[in-house]
Amino acid sequence: MGSPHWKRLCLLLMAGLTSSLLLYSHYYATMGAPSSQRIIASLLQPEPLVLAASGTSHRAGSRRWALGGNLDSGNSFKPSAELEEPEPSGKQPSPCLHSVMARAKADPKFREIFRFDTPVLMWDQHFTLETWNRLKARHVPYGWQGLSLAVVGSTLRLLNSSANRHLWDRAAFPGRCVRCAVVGNGGILNGSRQGRAIDSHDLVFRLNGAVIKGFEEDVGTKVSFYGFTVNTMKNSLIAYEEYGFTRIPQGKDLKYIFIPSDVRDYLMLRSAIQGTPVPEGSDKGDEPQKYFGPKVSAEKFKLLHPDFLQYLTARFLRSDLLNTQYGSLYMPSTGALMLLTALHTCDQVSAYGFITANYEQFSDHYYEVEKKPLVFYANHDMMLEAALWSSLHRAGIITLYQR
């Protein structure tokens, strides 16, 4: 069987071979960024938000914020200056006077960044010939370049109910502000005793290796949404098995949020709804019911819209990594995508277990017995994410748990 540590080593080696996500200790060393002390100090200061017009590059320290524009970086992903939306999102009206939307629109920086009419979820009625022709020109996860029309189309046609259009139904929370907690897996939660506060929220988002058993006092037990890519879900089941993560959360009312980062996400989603083994690709023969439970319907699943993923990257987390050799691999982390999804659907949002300025004081994950440093991967920009959470917290748009 081998030791747990050997399993983790094998996982890292497989990940390097299959997805070319090259691990390095701290990518800022290669980009000429400030030392960790200067980065931490900069996060504690009010951060200017620079809005760049199309084709214009502005910098604020080592981080760049932009409304749009193109990056001349070879074959790396280039967020377009103007997002082409298939249709308005049809967002349900909120009775909440102090909502994320209200606070964002009142903030001089973020009112220029948020576009609440961008569709969050992709479903059947979005799949038109115009949409296919538009999105097939973009790399995944921002489009469908290289994907099969038959695979994409047959998957989206199964997402054909109103439950696939909205993340949650406002009618279930009449006349009040809907409060959401997004729970990352950061070591800051170890010993935090935030479990009761997390569970007091109306909806709770969790992601990847969301270990609950044994840590209920720190992270709570409630799960409304579980977010993942097939790659992060499977890697988490292998890497964190030794900590008790032997299956992803399941429950009658729990919903799954697919992040479409590869064709395997579309294939797994289609097979999960149909209740059949995955017919092709790297997951061929895999049985989705062992992850999501038996006899699950399409209403159980949500699929993030590629336009939404591009919008989040272009406006909130447009990293300098796009200008490097890793540009074609870059995308926001799963935690960042879940938190930004909550910000575009919930009235009030609290973030737990996310990177903060003093991240070096804590272990990578809250369930690790021995302290391990935060791992920086070449396909994410964790310091840019940290700066964003800090800025949103200062603006009163989110409540970021800090210690």
Side-chain angles (χ1 to χ4, degrees):
M1 295 291 293
S3 68
H5 296 293
W6 175 248
K7 291 181 181 179
R8 297 195 73 187
L9 178 59
C10 289
L11 171 66
L12 291 175
L13 291 173
M14 286 189 296
L17 291 172
T18 58
S19 61
S20 299
L21 302 182
L22 305 177
L23 174 64
Y24 56 105
S25 60
H26 204 300
Y27 59 75
Y28 277 89
T30 66
M31 296 175 64
S35 66
S36 60
Q37 290 81 7
R38 288 177 60 198
I39 292 170
I40 292 171
S42 69
L43 291 177
L44 295 174
Q45 300 299 320
E47 178 186 6
L49 185 63
V50 180
L51 304 180
S54 178
T56 304
S57 175
H58 297 282
R59 294 179 179 271
S62 64
R63 299 177 293 276
R64 181 172 61 198
W65 303 72
L67 277 174
N70 292 322
L71 295 176
D72 296 325
S73 53
N75 295 321
S76 64
F77 161 64
K78 303 176 181 62
S80 63
E82 294 296 333
L83 289 174
E84 305 148 342
E85 299 170 1
E87 62 177 60
S89 63
K91 184 176 292 293
Q92 304 170 89
S94 170
C96 187
L97 296 178
H98 303 290
S99 65
V100 167
M101 182 183 293
R103 292 180 182 274
K105 288 183 176 180
D107 187 89
K109 297 183 297 185
F110 284 108
R111 68 187 177 201
E112 301 295 335
I113 299 295
F114 278 90
R115 288 177 60 177
F116 289 99
D117 60 347
T118 302
V120 174
L121 301 179
M122 168 68 80
W123 67 309
D124 175 43
Q125 291 191 20
H126 281 162
F127 190 64
T128 64
L129 179 61
E130 182 277 331
T131 303
W132 169 258
N133 287 333
R134 180 168 56 83
L135 293 185
K136 72 179 182 180
R138 294 193 208 145
H139 296 289
V140 288
Y142 313 102
W144 297 327
Q145 188 176 95
L147 303 188
S148 161
L149 172 63
V151 169
V152 175
S154 60
T155 301
L156 296 182
R157 291 304 183 199
L158 298 173
L159 302 174
N160 54 19
S161 74
S162 60
N164 302 126
R165 181 175 184 177
H166 300 294
L167 205 61
W168 48 271
D169 185 2
R170 185 167 290 279
F173 307 94
R176 75 172 198 259
C177 297
V178 176
R179 300 172 59 245
C180 296
V182 185
V183 185
N185 302 319
I188 192 173
L189 287 177
N190 189 298
S192 67
R193 298 178 180 267
Q194 293 298 304
R196 184 175 297 180
I198 290 170
D199 286 348
S200 70
H201 289 75
D202 297 301
L203 300 168
V204 177
F205 294 68
R206 298 183 193 269
L207 54 116
N208 294 345
V211 178
I212 292 177
K213 187 176 180 180
F215 297 91
E216 296 88 347
E217 191 174 80
D218 291 337
V219 303
T221 61
K222 190 172 183 177
V223 188
S224 309
F225 300 101
Y226 175 74
F228 61 98
T229 69
V230 171
N231 184 61
T232 63
M233 176 187 73
K234 288 195 168 187
N235 284 352
S236 295
L237 287 168
I238 297 172
Y240 310 123
E241 180 184 11
E242 63 177 297
Y243 302 113
F245 191 68
T246 57
R247 74 171 193 175
I248 68 172
Q250 293 185 5
K252 178 183 177 183
D253 298 323
L254 188 152
K255 303 296 189 295
Y256 297 105
I257 303 176
F258 271 77
I259 301 169
S261 68
D262 191 81
V263 67
R264 64 192 305 202
D265 297 291
Y266 292 95
L267 289 168
M268 179 68 75
L269 175 55
R270 185 181 70 185
S271 291
I273 296 172
Q274 294 176 332
T276 59
V278 178
E280 60 183 285
S282 58
D283 301 302
K284 183 177 181 179
D286 203 359
E287 299 180 345
Q289 60 265 32
K290 72 183 182 184
Y291 306 114
F292 312 112
K295 298 180 180 179
V296 291
S297 65
E299 289 77 10
K300 193 84 169 170
F301 302 101
K302 316 289 182 178
L303 178 67
L304 293 187
H305 200 302
D307 277 344
F308 183 63
L309 298 176
Q310 168 154 311
Y311 152 75
L312 296 183
T313 302
R315 287 178 169 252
F316 292 91
L317 290 168
R318 188 185 179 96
S319 173
D320 285 338
L321 283 173
L322 290 164
N323 288 326
T324 73
Q325 60 182 313
Y326 307 109
S328 61
L329 301 176
Y330 172 75
M331 66 180 290
S333 69
T334 306
L337 294 175
M338 286 300 98
L339 182 48
L340 288 166
T341 296
L343 279 168
H344 285 77
T345 54
C346 301
D347 293 324
Q348 296 172 354
V349 177
S350 302
Y352 298 85
F354 282 78
I355 184 171
T356 55
N358 59 340
Y359 71 90
E360 291 177 320
Q361 296 180 20
F362 309 106
S363 191
D364 193 355
H365 302 99
Y366 62 80
Y367 36 78
E368 290 160 342
V369 177
E370 298 180 2
K371 182 180 177 182
K372 298 180 180 180
L374 178 64
V375 176
F376 290 86
Y377 292 91
N379 62 324
H380 300 317
D381 192 335
M382 298 306 295
M383 299 313 298
L384 180 61
E385 292 183 12
L388 176 59
W389 312 145
S390 178
S391 187
L392 286 165
H393 178 77
R394 287 194 300 269
I397 296 172
I398 66 170
T399 300
L400 177 66
Y401 175 70
Q402 302 177 77
R403 291 170 70 180

